Amino acid sequence: MTPLISPKSVALVGASPKQASVGYVIFENLANRFRGKAYFVNPKYDVVEAWGKQFKFYKSISEIPDAIDVVIIAVPAQVVPQVLEEAGKKGAKAAIIISSGFAEVGNKELEDELRALGKMYGIRLLGPNCLGVYNAFDGFDTVFLPAERAGRPPAGPLALISQSGAVAASIMDWAARRGIGLSIMVNYGNKADVGDVELLRYFEKDDRIKVITIYIEGFKYPGEAKRFLDAAREVAKKKPIIAYKAGRGAAAQRAVKSHTAALAGSYEMYRGLFRQAGIIEAANLRDMFDMAKALATQPLPRGNRVLVLTDSGGMGIQAVDALEALGLEVPEIPESIRRDLRRELLPFSALGNPVDVTGSATDQHYKVVLEALLPTAFFDMALVVTLMQVPGLTQNLAEYIIDAKRFRKPIAVVNFGGSEVVQSFTKTLEDAEIPTYSTPDRAAKALWALYEYAKIRGVVRP
């Protein structure tokens, strides 16, 4: 799988100097960002001048003088078998077939031919009908959507496996605009060969990846669900897996079949499969990355008891509602600790749980509560609401929250608003790997995911 996802040498068949074409965008990606050796194949050209440089174009793969790890194929569907056979004779280890026009439009025989050729020559196939691979670690990028329209996220602890190319590109763009470290994306399209199972196994072994996210529409082959279950169950013992299953209702299942030639199957079957495998299920894409952010940065809790600290009574109530709806506990603070807190906080502060330091709060009030409660055995996690519109709060509060990481308990912060103060505060926390959310329900779901994974890993306190 390494030559497919992190190759040293690449050949792009269908490279083109014609702007806005698929072959042009991938040509640009490889020419300007790939850290390995890239070769470009198109019999129409000898030399192409672009970006202030000259690039040699080869007539065919066989003309390339060096060994090739992976061949990227972006030519009409009927030509793909010929190109794949040439790649096999060249000794390529993998092929990414961008081209569409196979089983997703009823042309199953042509897709079967690709699969047979892959087996004959020992080539691992990704696709067809896919975006392929984005790897921020080494600049390998076969996504044929221009970077100005579909942003490329920075390197970080997350990986994405996606059955849909458009969804994958949208996620990449969304992550890029928010600075979320989505290092590797793989879209497998029709899944003629490589699919979820192989990719899970690959990411299991990549120590740079801390959380694996999956967008799945449906399995394609008999027995695939069992293979997926076996692989995911093993991988989840080492790394969190978060999945979002699309195609839950009857009409959506019909759409799935026409999209990637997959069998959507019963949604209840997938839910049961995820539970058996130790996969955390997301309700939507935003949910998936909210949870992934926490799982990638926070320690696992020893239990389900949450401290809620807020400067807004209304936000505190929303947080308690959300936490309890998810089965997390919001226990009262013991009276002995309340007595100590009364000496340090404002006389009108609420000291039940949530602890409401009110709109008259200062940074120091938050620090007092965190240092008094988070180290105790009464709480396993903290949900901290910091509405920076309160005049007594400054950027120092971010440092106090970051300092609370020393207690080795998960923290999720709610910071709502759009001012420069709010944005700067959020950035400081996120840069220090404190996950920050705009609403209490999102922060609560992130803490829930940490607790669920703690149960999967068997670290929850009896």
CSV table of all heavy atoms in Angstrom, one decimal, residues 78-106:
chain,number,residue,atom,x,y,z
A,78,GLN,N,-12.4,3.6,-22.0
A,78,GLN,CA,-12.1,2.5,-22.9
A,78,GLN,C,-10.6,2.3,-23.2
A,78,GLN,O,-10.2,1.3,-23.6
A,78,GLN,CB,-12.8,2.7,-24.3
A,78,GLN,CG,-12.4,3.9,-25.1
A,78,GLN,CD,-13.3,5.2,-24.7
A,78,GLN,OE1,-13.9,5.2,-23.7
A,78,GLN,NE2,-13.3,6.1,-25.7
A,79,VAL,N,-9.8,3.4,-22.8
A,79,VAL,CA,-8.4,3.3,-23.0
A,79,VAL,C,-7.7,2.8,-21.8
A,79,VAL,O,-6.5,2.4,-21.8
A,79,VAL,CB,-7.8,4.7,-23.4
A,79,VAL,CG1,-6.3,4.6,-23.8
A,79,VAL,CG2,-8.6,5.3,-24.6
A,80,VAL,N,-8.4,2.8,-20.6
A,80,VAL,CA,-7.7,2.5,-19.4
A,80,VAL,C,-7.1,1.1,-19.3
A,80,VAL,O,-6.0,0.9,-18.8
A,80,VAL,CB,-8.7,2.7,-18.2
A,80,VAL,CG1,-8.1,2.2,-16.9
A,80,VAL,CG2,-9.1,4.2,-18.1
A,81,PRO,N,-7.8,0.0,-19.8
A,81,PRO,CA,-7.2,-1.3,-19.8
A,81,PRO,C,-5.8,-1.3,-20.5
A,81,PRO,O,-4.9,-2.0,-20.0
A,81,PRO,CB,-8.2,-2.2,-20.4
A,81,PRO,CG,-9.5,-1.5,-20.2
A,81,PRO,CD,-9.2,0.0,-20.3
A,82,GLN,N,-5.7,-0.7,-21.6
A,82,GLN,CA,-4.5,-0.6,-22.4
A,82,GLN,C,-3.4,0.0,-21.5
A,82,GLN,O,-2.2,-0.5,-21.5
A,82,GLN,CB,-4.7,0.1,-23.7
A,82,GLN,CG,-3.4,0.3,-24.5
A,82,GLN,CD,-3.7,1.3,-25.7
A,82,GLN,OE1,-4.8,1.3,-26.2
A,82,GLN,NE2,-2.7,2.0,-26.1
A,83,VAL,N,-3.7,1.1,-20.9
A,83,VAL,CA,-2.7,1.8,-20.1
A,83,VAL,C,-2.3,1.0,-18.9
A,83,VAL,O,-1.1,0.9,-18.5
A,83,VAL,CB,-3.3,3.2,-19.6
A,83,VAL,CG1,-2.3,3.9,-18.6
A,83,VAL,CG2,-3.6,4.1,-20.8
A,84,LEU,N,-3.3,0.3,-18.3
A,84,LEU,CA,-3.0,-0.5,-17.1
A,84,LEU,C,-2.1,-1.7,-17.4
A,84,LEU,O,-1.2,-2.0,-16.7
A,84,LEU,CB,-4.3,-1.0,-16.5
A,84,LEU,CG,-4.3,-1.7,-15.1
A,84,LEU,CD1,-3.6,-0.7,-14.1
A,84,LEU,CD2,-5.6,-2.1,-14.7
A,85,GLU,N,-2.3,-2.2,-18.6
A,85,GLU,CA,-1.5,-3.4,-19.0
A,85,GLU,C,0.0,-2.9,-19.3
A,85,GLU,O,0.9,-3.5,-18.9
A,85,GLU,CB,-2.0,-4.0,-20.3
A,85,GLU,CG,-1.2,-5.2,-20.7
A,85,GLU,CD,-2.0,-6.2,-21.6
A,85,GLU,OE1,-3.0,-5.7,-22.2
A,85,GLU,OE2,-1.6,-7.3,-21.8
A,86,GLU,N,0.1,-1.7,-19.8
A,86,GLU,CA,1.4,-1.1,-20.1
A,86,GLU,C,2.1,-0.8,-18.7
A,86,GLU,O,3.3,-1.0,-18.6
A,86,GLU,CB,1.3,0.2,-20.9
A,86,GLU,CG,2.6,0.7,-21.4
A,86,GLU,CD,2.4,1.9,-22.3
A,86,GLU,OE1,1.3,2.3,-22.5
A,86,GLU,OE2,3.5,2.5,-22.7
A,87,ALA,N,1.3,-0.3,-17.7
A,87,ALA,CA,1.9,-0.1,-16.4
A,87,ALA,C,2.4,-1.4,-15.8
A,87,ALA,O,3.4,-1.4,-15.1
A,87,ALA,CB,0.8,0.6,-15.5
A,88,GLY,N,1.6,-2.5,-16.0
A,88,GLY,CA,2.0,-3.8,-15.4
A,88,GLY,C,3.3,-4.2,-16.0
A,88,GLY,O,4.2,-4.7,-15.3
A,89,LYS,N,3.4,-4.1,-17.3
A,89,LYS,CA,4.7,-4.5,-18.0
A,89,LYS,C,5.9,-3.7,-17.6
A,89,LYS,O,7.0,-4.1,-17.6
A,89,LYS,CB,4.5,-4.4,-19.5
A,89,LYS,CG,3.5,-5.5,-20.1
A,89,LYS,CD,3.3,-5.3,-21.5
A,89,LYS,CE,2.3,-6.4,-22.1
A,89,LYS,NZ,2.0,-6.2,-23.5
A,90,LYS,N,5.6,-2.4,-17.2
A,90,LYS,CA,6.6,-1.5,-16.7
A,90,LYS,C,7.1,-1.9,-15.3
A,90,LYS,O,8.1,-1.5,-14.8
A,90,LYS,CB,6.1,-0.1,-16.7
A,90,LYS,CG,7.1,1.0,-16.2
A,90,LYS,CD,8.3,1.1,-17.1
A,90,LYS,CE,9.2,2.2,-16.6
A,90,LYS,NZ,10.5,2.3,-17.4
A,91,GLY,N,6.2,-2.6,-14.6
A,91,GLY,CA,6.5,-3.0,-13.2
A,91,GLY,C,6.0,-2.1,-12.1
A,91,GLY,O,6.4,-2.1,-11.0
A,92,ALA,N,5.0,-1.3,-12.5
A,92,ALA,CA,4.4,-0.4,-11.5
A,92,ALA,C,3.7,-1.2,-10.4
A,92,ALA,O,3.2,-2.3,-10.7
A,92,ALA,CB,3.4,0.5,-12.2
A,93,LYS,N,3.8,-0.7,-9.2
A,93,LYS,CA,3.2,-1.4,-8.1
A,93,LYS,C,1.8,-1.1,-7.8
A,93,LYS,O,1.1,-1.8,-7.1
A,93,LYS,CB,4.1,-1.2,-6.8
A,93,LYS,CG,5.6,-1.6,-7.0
A,93,LYS,CD,6.4,-1.2,-5.8
A,93,LYS,CE,7.8,-1.5,-5.9
A,93,LYS,NZ,8.5,-0.6,-6.9
A,94,ALA,N,1.3,0.1,-8.3
A,94,ALA,CA,0.0,0.5,-8.0
A,94,ALA,C,-0.5,1.4,-9.1
A,94,ALA,O,0.3,2.0,-9.9
A,94,ALA,CB,0.0,1.3,-6.6
A,95,ALA,N,-1.8,1.6,-9.2
A,95,ALA,CA,-2.4,2.5,-10.1
A,95,ALA,C,-3.6,3.2,-9.5
A,95,ALA,O,-4.4,2.6,-8.8
A,95,ALA,CB,-2.9,1.7,-11.4
A,96,ILE,N,-3.7,4.5,-9.8
A,96,ILE,CA,-4.9,5.3,-9.3
A,96,ILE,C,-5.7,5.6,-10.6
A,96,ILE,O,-5.2,6.3,-11.5
A,96,ILE,CB,-4.4,6.5,-8.6
A,96,ILE,CG1,-3.7,6.1,-7.3
A,96,ILE,CG2,-5.7,7.4,-8.2
A,96,ILE,CD1,-3.0,7.3,-6.6
A,97,ILE,N,-6.9,5.1,-10.7
A,97,ILE,CA,-7.7,5.3,-11.9
A,97,ILE,C,-8.7,6.4,-11.6
A,97,ILE,O,-9.7,6.1,-11.0
A,97,ILE,CB,-8.4,3.9,-12.3
A,97,ILE,CG1,-7.3,2.9,-12.5
A,97,ILE,CG2,-9.2,4.1,-13.6
A,97,ILE,CD1,-7.8,1.5,-12.7
A,98,ILE,N,-8.4,7.5,-12.1
A,98,ILE,CA,-9.3,8.7,-11.9
A,98,ILE,C,-10.5,8.6,-12.8
A,98,ILE,O,-11.6,9.0,-12.5
A,98,ILE,CB,-8.5,10.0,-12.3
A,98,ILE,CG1,-7.2,10.1,-11.5
A,98,ILE,CG2,-9.4,11.2,-12.1
A,98,ILE,CD1,-7.4,10.2,-10.0
A,99,SER,N,-10.3,8.0,-14.0
A,99,SER,CA,-11.4,7.9,-15.0
A,99,SER,C,-12.7,7.3,-14.5
A,99,SER,O,-12.7,6.4,-13.7
A,99,SER,CB,-10.9,7.1,-16.2
A,99,SER,OG,-9.5,7.4,-16.6
A,100,SER,N,-13.8,7.9,-15.0
A,100,SER,CA,-15.1,7.3,-14.7
A,100,SER,C,-15.7,6.6,-15.9
A,100,SER,O,-15.0,6.6,-17.0
A,100,SER,CB,-16.1,8.4,-14.2
A,100,SER,OG,-16.1,9.4,-15.2
A,101,GLY,N,-16.9,6.0,-15.8
A,101,GLY,CA,-17.5,5.3,-16.9
A,101,GLY,C,-17.4,3.8,-16.8
A,101,GLY,O,-17.4,3.1,-17.8
A,102,PHE,N,-17.4,3.3,-15.5
A,102,PHE,CA,-17.3,1.9,-15.3
A,102,PHE,C,-18.6,1.4,-14.6
A,102,PHE,O,-19.7,1.7,-15.1
A,102,PHE,CB,-16.1,1.6,-14.5
A,102,PHE,CG,-14.8,2.0,-15.2
A,102,PHE,CD1,-14.3,3.3,-15.1
A,102,PHE,CD2,-14.1,1.0,-16.0
A,102,PHE,CE1,-13.1,3.6,-15.8
A,102,PHE,CE2,-13.0,1.3,-16.7
A,102,PHE,CZ,-12.5,2.6,-16.6
A,103,ALA,N,-18.5,0.6,-13.5
A,103,ALA,CA,-19.7,0.0,-12.9
A,103,ALA,C,-20.7,1.0,-12.5
A,103,ALA,O,-21.9,0.7,-12.4
A,103,ALA,CB,-19.3,-0.9,-11.8
A,104,GLU,N,-20.3,2.2,-12.2
A,104,GLU,CA,-21.2,3.2,-11.7
A,104,GLU,C,-22.2,3.7,-12.7
A,104,GLU,O,-23.3,4.2,-12.4
A,104,GLU,CB,-20.5,4.5,-11.1
A,104,GLU,CG,-20.0,5.5,-12.1
A,104,GLU,CD,-18.7,5.1,-12.9
A,104,GLU,OE1,-18.2,4.0,-12.6
A,104,GLU,OE2,-18.3,5.9,-13.7
A,105,VAL,N,-21.9,3.4,-14.0
A,105,VAL,CA,-22.9,3.6,-15.1
A,105,VAL,C,-23.3,2.3,-15.8
A,105,VAL,O,-23.8,2.3,-16.9
A,105,VAL,CB,-22.3,4.6,-16.1
A,105,VAL,CG1,-22.1,6.0,-15.5
A,105,VAL,CG2,-21.0,4.1,-16.8
A,106,GLY,N,-23.1,1.2,-15.1
A,106,GLY,CA,-23.5,-0.1,-15.6
A,106,GLY,C,-22.5,-0.8,-16.4
A,106,GLY,O,-22.7,-1.9,-16.9
